[in-house]
Amino acid sequence: MADDAAFTIQYRKQLHPACCAGCQAVAQTIIDSGLGDYYNHRTATSGQAEPLPDELLQQLRLYDNEELQRSFVHQETGEIREASLILEGITCAACVWLNEHHLQRLPGVVSVEINYTSHRARVRWDNSRIQLSQILEGVAAIGYRAHPYDASRQEALQARERKQAINRLWAAGLSMMQVMMYAVPVYLAGNGEIDRDFLWLLHWASFLLTLPVVLYSCVPFYQGTWRDLKRGRVGMDTPVTLGVLTAFIASTWALLTRVEHGIYFDSVSMFVFLLLGGRYLEGVARRKAGEATESLVKLLPAFAHQLPAWPDSRSVEIPVSTLTPGMLLVIRPGETIPADALVIDGDSHVNEALLTGEGHPIAKHIDSPLIAGSINLDSPLIARVTECGQSTRLAGIVRLLDQALAEKPRLARIADRFAGWFVALLILMAIGSYVVWHMIDPSRALWIMVAVLVISCPCALSLATPAALTAASGHLARLGVLITRGHTLETLARVTDVVFDKTGTLTTGKMTLLEQLTLNGNDPQRSLATAVTLEAGSSHPIAEALRAASTGATLKVAELSGIPGMGQEGIIDGKRWRLGRADFVMALSGQPLPDYAGRHPAASRILLGNETGAVASFAIGDALREDSRATMEALRQRGLTLHMLSGDGEEAVQAIAGQSGIDTWRARATPEDKLAYVEDLQQGGARVLMIGDGINDAPVLARANVSLAMGGGTDVARASGDMVLINDQLALIANAIDLAKRTLTVIRQNLWWALAYNLIALPLAVAGHVTPWVASLGMASSSLLVVSNALRLIKRNA
């Protein structure tokens, strides 16, 4: 450490020295979180935290290796990097709070977002100021373990945690049954019916059978409490630990001093069993709520088949983590595509359902893009890797989903803030109830205090919002709508106006053959083949549209040439043909311009003709998406006001507005005009959902109350949107709004239930109407009910 390094702590408007940056961060976190009185009550000076073992430090520093980081670290602009880490030891929302606040104080850490459901942390840092190993050391220093996310490793970790949870639950359940078997005769027998020596033998047996519960089953509660206390705060495990230890120590003291009416080992074993059972079921429910995100993460295979020198070599199996752009792969039928790639040989169909929500197989041929995580169905494909590791589209989707789940909306922040103070107030209330009842009835004071500590745990309050958001976001991800901001669902449920961009949003954004009019009785297919032949070799959007509409048949052509701004000319079957502007084509025959009308007045029209006159007319334009009109009708039925903004001419915008059923529209709108339009709506009290796809839509997407970017749009638009429509299906917008409203309803139900439960249960416990085991049953049931209610959002027909 440099001699002139200064680490200071601001406490009560005074600066105090600290020995190092770690102590400075911890102390300032305690003070900033409103727990500064900890220093008034501390009875001894804290020593410096013990350094981590050298062996662990060496292991952590291996993660600074650039080659190793390539498989799990995403490099942004400059030295900013982002990684997904899995955290071990997370037991409640307080653990998430502690890790986030501790890591955010490390110099060089840009942001930390932890998903309580999956225990996955998304960390961004400046690699020029801090190394990844130092971040991992920071996590280890407060009693947790962090390592790069690996699906198989997390499955093993979750399996180990489930096994430990079941073992602890089994031990508590077995103890509870045996202790209750000894306790029931004591409760039912009258005075003197059980010999005193035999009675005390039953109490000693209960004590011995309760020891495994206190020494083994309760370890997770002790660990959580100890971690919190080391940081100078109280967490959600603290009341449970205090309740268990108080009841057990008091019962043991009564046993040793032979006070018959102070022994309640049965209550200790029973409420520990109920608490562990509730926590286990809650964990199962949370994992189910987060299945959608985890299913995306687990899509990539562990190995790929590389072709070192195609077509002259056999494939070699290599780990997916070693793939680099440019490598050639063979992807066999039934295999999962390991990286984003481009097909260079082969024809097949690919299932992209988990990524895009598109249920039908998608045809792939030469030059078709492949998305990592999709499944090859029919025949082998040879593909060149374009993106791998954290640069794939799949990795980007997972990052956005993690970001959305980790961001806390307003309701969650309020609940967390209240829950943090609630624990401290709960402990004070428990102590107060003991003092009061000790004056009224000393024999009941201890157990009433234990009941107060156990019954009103704020777990349900802290779970109310995250559980619902995780379930709803997972449901939408399966459908093809990716949530990228934490506030999205809450805001989307309150939307009053929906503003659409035109090109690429309501329309496909691609030139399409909208209409073909065959003149003078000519053959339509022959006419289209002639037009495609004249456009051979051209990359103009009109040529692409004609080729896309044809069967692929072409004719022999001679003297093919193009006249800029006019069209194409060539000789086919001994006749000179022209394709292009009407005056250019009709000049060949010297006839007047034909009189034709079509259904698409705003489209670009080109004429096909030869020396005898006009043969066919083609309307080329931007086609309306198939589900546009149905989507507009669905949104209108939900009471939403619809708008369309476009930079195109008035005639084209009016035509699309008429076809889609939108009454309010504006043409020739610049990005500034769009921004002003949305701001005017907001000033009038509207809550606006903006939907767009282009770079020019980015400012208005960012300004709207909530926004949706088309998955096929620009990177800038997707980065500005609060949601991404992965498969560009507009019909999903109405589904997303419906689910957002149901999510807000579930969150409110959860919060009201948690609040009502605490308001009812706490007074009953203080009044002495609740025994400790009933208190533990109520607390476990409260948390379980909140998570189960959120699981209703997972159902597709919910």
Side-chain angles (χ1 to χ4, degrees), residues 117 158 162 165-166 169 276-291 784 787-788 791 794:
T117 301
Q158 289 178 343
R162 282 196 298 271
I166 290 173
L169 182 61
L276 290 174
R279 181 169 286 192
Y280 178 77
L281 293 175
E282 176 201 319
V284 172
R286 281 194 293 104
R287 283 191 291 273
K288 185 173 181 63
E291 277 179 357
L784 190 59
V787 177
S788 300
L791 287 180
I794 292 179

Side-chain angles (χ1 to χ4, degrees), residues 337-608:
I337 297 167
D340 289 354
L342 198 68
V343 177
I344 63 171
D345 189 59
D347 291 281
S348 185
H349 285 81
V350 169
N351 184 351
E352 297 179 352
L354 271 176
L355 288 164
T356 65
E358 177 58 60
H360 302 290
I362 299 173
K364 299 291 180 180
H365 43 78
I366 294 176
D367 291 335
S368 292
L370 300 177
I371 304 174
S374 51
I375 300 173
N376 184 23
L377 299 177
D378 302 332
S379 57
L381 292 173
I382 308 298
R384 177 177 287 105
V385 174
T386 55
E387 300 288 351
C388 53
Q390 289 299 304
S391 299
T392 63
R393 185 179 177 189
L394 173 62
I397 290 173
V398 172
R399 274 196 302 276
L400 289 174
L401 195 52
D402 277 347
Q403 172 188 323
L405 292 175
E407 273 189 24
K408 293 183 175 68
R410 181 180 56 85
L411 288 174
R413 290 195 298 270
I414 294 172
D416 284 351
R417 195 157 53 241
F418 179 74
W421 286 102
F422 186 81
V423 176
L425 293 173
L426 176 63
I427 294 173
L428 293 175
M429 189 172 292
I431 295 172
S433 66
Y434 176 83
V435 172
V436 173
W437 274 98
H438 194 270
M439 293 186 291
I440 299 172
D441 185 354
S443 65
R444 300 182 63 193
L446 179 67
W447 303 110
I448 289 174
M449 183 184 76
V450 172
V452 171
L453 285 170
V454 174
I455 200 168
S456 291
C457 183
C459 299
L461 196 60
S462 292
L463 284 171
T465 301
L469 290 178
T470 300
S473 298
H475 183 180
L476 285 175
R478 284 195 184 98
L479 295 178
V481 181
L482 185 64
I483 304 295
T484 66
R485 303 283 192 280
H487 73 88
T488 300
L489 289 171
E490 185 181 352
T491 311
L492 185 62
R494 299 187 173 97
V495 160
T496 60
D497 292 63
V498 184
V499 179
F500 290 89
D501 172 51
K502 181 181 80 71
T503 306
T505 302
L506 287 174
T507 65
T508 62
K510 298 177 181 177
M511 297 294 277
T512 306
L513 178 59
L514 302 177
E515 184 183 23
Q516 176 182 349
L517 296 177
T518 305
L519 309 175
N520 303 322
N522 287 284
D523 179 20
Q525 292 186 352
R526 176 80 180 185
S527 299
L528 183 57
T530 302
V532 170
T533 300
L534 292 173
E535 290 283 8
S538 172
S539 58
H540 192 278
I542 289 179
E544 298 286 351
L546 291 171
R547 279 194 287 270
S550 74
T551 59
T554 56
L555 308 172
K556 289 186 178 180
V557 61
E559 299 182 18
L560 182 63
S561 62
I563 295 86
M566 302 298 289
Q568 300 288 112
E569 183 176 333
I571 297 176
I572 299 174
D573 294 337
K575 293 183 179 180
R576 184 168 294 277
W577 291 80
R578 285 184 178 179
L579 176 72
R581 283 175 45 173
D583 54 349
F584 167 69
V585 172
M586 297 311 296
L588 187 63
S589 63
Q591 296 182 7
L593 297 179
D595 182 19
Y596 52 80
R599 300 190 307 271
H600 302 276
S604 299
R605 284 200 170 270
I606 58 173
L607 197 64
L608 173 70

Side-chain angles (χ1 to χ4, degrees), residues 637-653:
Q637 289 175 357
R638 286 160 176 79
L640 299 172
T641 304
L642 307 180
H643 312 257
M644 181 174 66
L645 305 176
S646 176
D648 291 349
E650 188 167 319
E651 189 176 8
V653 175

Side-chain angles (χ1 to χ4, degrees), residues 82-362:
E82 182 179 17
S84 181
L85 307 176
I86 192 71
L87 293 180
E88 297 182 25
I90 299 291
T91 58
C92 66
C95 300
V96 173
W97 180 93
L98 179 60
N99 277 276
E100 285 182 341
H101 282 71
H102 178 66
L103 291 182
Q104 283 170 352
R105 293 194 170 277
L106 296 178
V109 173
V110 178
S111 64
V112 182
E113 296 162 344
I114 301 175
N115 184 346
Y116 175 47
T117 301
S118 63
H119 298 175
R120 195 160 62 243
R122 181 70 58 180
V123 183
R124 296 175 68 242
W125 72 95
D126 185 344
N127 204 56
S128 64
R129 299 178 60 198
I130 190 171
Q131 297 294 303
L132 177 59
S133 62
Q134 294 172 285
I135 297 174
L136 301 180
E137 287 174 29
V139 175
I142 56 174
Y144 299 84
R145 289 293 303 274
H147 49 77
Y149 179 83
D150 177 80
S152 59
R153 183 170 180 176
Q154 185 180 20
E155 282 185 358
L157 174 63
Q158 289 178 343
R160 187 171 73 247
E161 289 177 345
R162 282 196 298 271
K163 184 177 179 181
Q164 288 179 347
I166 290 173
N167 288 341
R168 297 186 198 281
L169 182 61
W170 175 83
L174 184 61
S175 171
M176 179 194 69
M177 289 187 291
Q178 295 298 319
V179 172
M180 288 301 296
M181 187 171 65
Y182 296 145
V184 168
V186 176
Y187 289 137
L188 297 181
N191 290 330
E193 290 186 18
I194 300 178
D195 183 76
R196 290 185 61 80
D197 291 338
F198 189 70
L199 179 65
W200 287 106
L201 180 63
L202 291 178
H203 287 327
W204 276 103
S206 298
F207 165 76
L208 293 174
L209 288 168
T210 307
L211 277 176
V213 176
V214 176
L215 299 178
Y216 174 66
S217 296
C218 288
V219 168
F221 302 123
Y222 303 154
Q223 290 173 335
T225 301
W226 179 242
R227 278 193 297 260
D228 289 331
L229 292 178
K230 283 198 301 183
R231 298 295 103 188
R233 62 188 300 270
V234 289
M236 296 179 190
D237 286 324
T238 306
V240 176
T241 299
L242 288 175
V244 170
L245 292 181
T246 301
F248 179 75
I249 292 171
S251 295
T252 304
W253 177 255
L255 177 64
L256 294 174
T257 57
R258 294 210 167 207
V259 178
E260 292 185 22
H261 299 292
I263 299 174
Y264 292 95
F265 292 118
D266 53 316
S267 292
V268 173
S269 59
M270 182 176 288
F271 75 68
V272 169
F273 171 73
L274 293 172
L275 289 173
L276 290 174
R279 181 169 286 192
Y280 178 77
L281 293 175
E282 176 201 319
V284 172
R286 281 194 293 104
R287 283 191 291 273
K288 185 173 181 63
E291 277 179 357
T293 312
E294 294 306 304
S295 64
L296 288 176
V297 175
K298 296 173 185 175
L299 284 179
L300 288 185
F303 296 94
H305 297 97
Q306 182 195 9
L307 288 173
W310 180 75
D312 303 322
S313 65
R314 293 183 177 180
S315 64
V316 178
E317 192 171 66
I318 62 172
V320 167
S321 59
T322 62
L323 291 177
T324 57
M327 280 187 175
L328 295 180
L329 305 176
V330 57
I331 304 159
R332 302 186 177 103
E335 289 185 347
T336 300
I337 297 167
D340 289 354
L342 198 68
V343 177
I344 63 171
D345 189 59
D347 291 281
S348 185
H349 285 81
V350 169
N351 184 351
E352 297 179 352
L354 271 176
L355 288 164
T356 65
E358 177 58 60
H360 302 290
I362 299 173

